[in-house]
Amino acid sequence: MKNDKMKNQYRVNEQIRVREVRIVGNEGSTVMSTRQAMDMARQQGVDLVEISPNAQPPVCRLIDYSKFLYQQKKHAKEMKAKQVKVDIKEIRFGPQTDEHDYNFKLKHAKEFLTEGNKVRAYVFFRGRSILFKEQGEVLLLRFANDLEEYAKVEQLPKLDGKKMFLYLAPKKAGVAKKSQQKMDRERREAEEKASAKTEQNEAPSRGNLLANAKISAEALKKLQGGEK
């Protein structure tokens, strides 16, 4: 069925019934009568294939139609393989989600975004809990802020019926971009570690200097005593 559908996309040889066509090839393009183009196709042992019917005049190529269909099918398959499938993962909150549950869902959201998936987080307001919609909005904004290294906000919290939705998209599939705040913190920690290591290495040297100074002082006293 797919092959038949692809075949019907193009008019070939006698199916082309316009008076003239534009033949395109490696050497440029030429406008000629359709009858003349058909004769050229027969002489070369190929087909006259209409590839752009809406042009004035229609554009055709002198090619082997079977090979042409094969190339088109191969190209379509390659394009399909290159398409990245993006799934939308849902994460549900209540308006009064506790800290443990929040952190558990935050961890899953990081995994989803790192894998290249989008995240649709929402707060579900049951019954009178709709009175806490501001609290739900604060929760979703906190969620977005905690995921700033992994995601960009596609839609800020928006109430739709009994649900308030937040849409997040990965910044880059498989890679979490560090925030400036985290990079500054890591830099400070690295500097502190380097400073502590330097002090640790210098400590034995200072101890040795003190020991040597003590020994030298004692030797000097002995010498002075001997001289007396």
Side-chain angles (χ1 to χ4, degrees):
M1 293 293 293
K2 289 184 179 179
N3 289 337
D4 291 340
K5 186 177 180 180
M6 184 171 285
K7 284 182 179 179
N8 293 331
Q9 288 181 351
Y10 305 96
R11 286 193 288 240
V12 186
N13 298 326
E14 289 80 6
Q15 295 174 350
I16 304 171
R17 297 177 180 175
V18 293
R19 184 164 56 181
E20 61 181 14
V21 294
R22 180 181 296 275
I23 303 298
V24 295
N26 297 331
E27 298 178 357
S29 65
T30 305
V31 176
M32 63 180 68
S33 68
T34 304
R35 183 180 295 276
Q36 185 181 358
M38 289 280 294
D39 291 339
M40 287 180 62
R42 292 192 193 95
Q43 291 172 7
Q44 296 179 23
V46 294
D47 300 291
L48 180 66
V49 181
E50 185 183 62
I51 59 173
S52 184
N54 296 325
Q56 294 296 329
V59 178
C60 297
R61 291 181 63 188
L62 301 175
I63 50 176
D64 186 313
Y65 188 48
S66 298
K67 289 182 179 180
F68 175 74
L69 287 179
Y70 172 77
Q71 290 171 353
Q72 292 294 100
K73 184 178 178 182
K74 184 179 178 181
H75 178 69
K77 189 175 181 180
E78 289 173 351
M79 293 297 295
K80 187 176 180 180
K82 288 180 181 178
Q83 291 178 348
V84 179
K85 185 180 179 181
V86 178
D87 292 328
I88 299 178
K89 303 292 185 179
E90 280 196 343
I91 294 182
R92 171 177 168 171
F93 292 101
Q96 295 177 322
T97 301
D98 60 45
E99 193 68 16
H100 175 75
D101 191 31
Y102 175 85
N103 289 328
F104 179 76
K105 291 176 179 179
L106 180 66
K107 179 183 176 183
H108 278 291
K110 289 178 180 178
E111 292 173 355
F112 295 148
L113 291 164
T114 301
E115 292 169 358
N117 300 303
K118 292 186 177 183
V119 170
R120 176 170 59 197
Y122 68 93
V123 179
F124 179 69
F125 301 98
R126 188 188 302 274
R128 292 177 61 84
S129 67
I130 192 68
L131 298 173
F132 300 99
K133 61 181 180 180
E134 290 82 6
Q135 191 170 336
E137 183 177 6
V138 170
L139 174 67
L140 291 176
L141 288 173
R142 176 193 173 189
F143 193 63
N145 184 65
D146 289 343
L147 292 169
E148 65 174 347
E149 298 175 13
Y150 300 81
K152 57 184 178 181
V153 176
E154 281 197 336
Q155 178 185 300
L156 288 168
K158 183 178 179 181
L159 187 64
D160 185 4
K162 293 184 178 181
K163 296 179 181 180
M164 182 176 286
F165 291 96
L166 167 73
Y167 287 85
L168 301 170
K171 283 189 174 179
K172 191 174 182 180
V175 178
K177 185 179 179 181
K178 293 182 180 178
S179 66
Q180 186 62 44
Q181 184 179 5
K182 185 169 183 179
M183 288 190 290
D184 292 342
R185 185 173 67 249
E186 290 180 350
R187 186 176 65 253
R188 287 195 301 269
E189 290 174 354
E191 289 173 352
E192 289 171 1
K193 287 181 180 179
S195 179
K197 189 174 181 181
T198 301
E199 290 180 2
Q200 186 179 2
N201 292 335
E202 289 177 350
S205 299
R206 288 197 297 267
N208 291 334
L209 288 171
L210 290 171
N212 291 336
K214 187 176 180 181
I215 293 170
S216 298
E218 291 176 353
L220 182 60
K221 285 180 180 180
K222 287 180 180 179
L223 287 172
Q224 290 174 343
E227 290 174 354
K228 291 179 181 179

